[in-house]
């Protein structure tokens, strides 16, 4: 799986599982990618991590 496919799957998981707006999900995934995070290939775990980090920021 390439990075673009992974990013799309993570954004889709944020929208479907956590009720995020599509654009916000894409921006959050891009920020995650830019941060240099490498959490492997587990889409659900990465989406949950991004979601939890966003809750901590609020």
């Amino acid at each position: 799986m390439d990075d673009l496919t992974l990013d799309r799957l993570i954004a889709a998981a944020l929208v479907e599982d956590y009720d995020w707006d599509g654009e916000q999900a894409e921006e959050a995934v891009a920020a995650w990618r830019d941060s240099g995070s490498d959490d492997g290939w587990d889409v659900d775990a990465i989406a949950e991590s991004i979601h939890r980090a966003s809750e901590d920021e609020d």
Side-chain angles (χ1 to χ4, degrees), residues 16-48:
E16 292 173 19
D17 298 341
Y18 299 101
D19 199 30
W20 282 47
D21 173 75
E23 187 174 326
Q24 290 174 329
E26 290 174 6
E27 290 172 1
V29 172
W32 168 80
R33 175 76 58 201
D34 290 345
S35 74
S37 295
D38 184 14
D39 297 330
W41 299 98
D42 187 336
V43 170
D44 294 328
I46 296 167
E48 181 178 355

Side-chain angles (χ1 to χ4, degrees), residues 48-58:
E48 181 178 355
S49 174
I50 292 171
H51 179 70
R52 287 185 182 201
S54 75
E55 287 182 332
D56 291 344
E57 291 175 0
D58 294 339

